[in-house]
């Protein structure tokens, strides 16, 4: 049973930085695809970033150059370093994992089998 637990959310002023963590337990490997999504009230879940099969990183257009995804395989943890935060980054941020994802499905949340409970990020103007 795979479990994902996010942490690190909070309130930050615009222009500030915040780091999220996602601890993974259960059936995962260094080649699992790990991703971050976010969802604001009344909006669809949006792709933020992912490390595809343990190698290359991908980012959503709205966060490129500001967010960085990384992972520590030994600690089974994935991180999301967020900088130059904007009020429009305010959302519930989710960690997701899949062990069989193909690249064309990377951006679509429906293809991920495992999800964390989410951590709130609020950016004040």
């Amino acid at each position: 049973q795979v479990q994902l637990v996010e942490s690190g959310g909070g309130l930050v002023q615009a222009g500030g930085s915040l780091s999220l963590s996602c601890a993974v337990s259960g059936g995962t490997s260094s080649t699992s695809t790990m991703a971050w999504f976010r969802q604001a009230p009344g909006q669809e879940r949006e792709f933020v970033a992912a490390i595809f099969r343990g190698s290359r990183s991908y980012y959503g257009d709205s966060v490129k150059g500001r967010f960085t995804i990384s992972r520590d395989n030994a600690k089974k943890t994935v991180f999301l370093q967020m900088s130059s935060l904007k009020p429009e980054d305010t959302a519930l941020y989710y960690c997701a994992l899949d062990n069989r994802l193909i690249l064309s499905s990377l951006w679509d949340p429906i293809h991920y089998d495992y999800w964390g409970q989410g951590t709130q990020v609020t950016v004040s103007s």
Side-chain angles (χ1 to χ4, degrees):
Q1 184 73 15
V2 178
Q3 291 187 324
L4 309 176
V5 179
E6 302 98 334
S7 61
L11 174 65
V12 63
Q13 289 188 335
S17 300
L18 205 58
S19 182
L20 305 183
S21 299
C22 175
V24 182
S25 61
T28 182
S29 71
S30 59
T31 59
S32 299
T33 293
M34 299 293 304
W36 289 94
F37 286 80
R38 66 187 182 186
Q39 190 166 19
Q43 297 187 18
E44 294 185 351
R45 197 163 292 192
E46 177 190 15
F47 174 81
V48 175
I51 300 178
F52 178 66
R53 294 190 179 178
S55 58
R56 186 173 177 177
S57 299
Y58 295 83
Y59 296 92
D61 288 341
S62 61
V63 306
K64 280 181 183 176
R66 301 188 298 122
F67 291 11
T68 302
I69 188 172
S70 61
R71 63 189 288 175
D72 183 330
N73 290 328
K75 296 182 179 179
K76 292 188 176 181
T77 302
V78 63
F79 305 95
L80 184 69
Q81 179 64 40
M82 306 182 292
S83 60
S84 301
L85 283 161
K86 306 174 182 179
E88 50 263 45
D89 294 318
T90 295
L92 190 60
Y93 282 71
Y94 295 93
C95 179
L97 179 152
D98 198 271
N99 292 314
R100 301 169 297 173
L101 203 72
I102 60 175
L103 185 57
S104 60
S105 300
L106 192 71
W107 295 266
D108 191 343
I110 197 172
H111 296 291
Y112 289 78
D113 285 341
Y114 305 103
W115 291 86
Q117 80 288 350
T119 185
Q120 179 67 37
V121 172
T122 302
V123 184
S124 63
S125 56

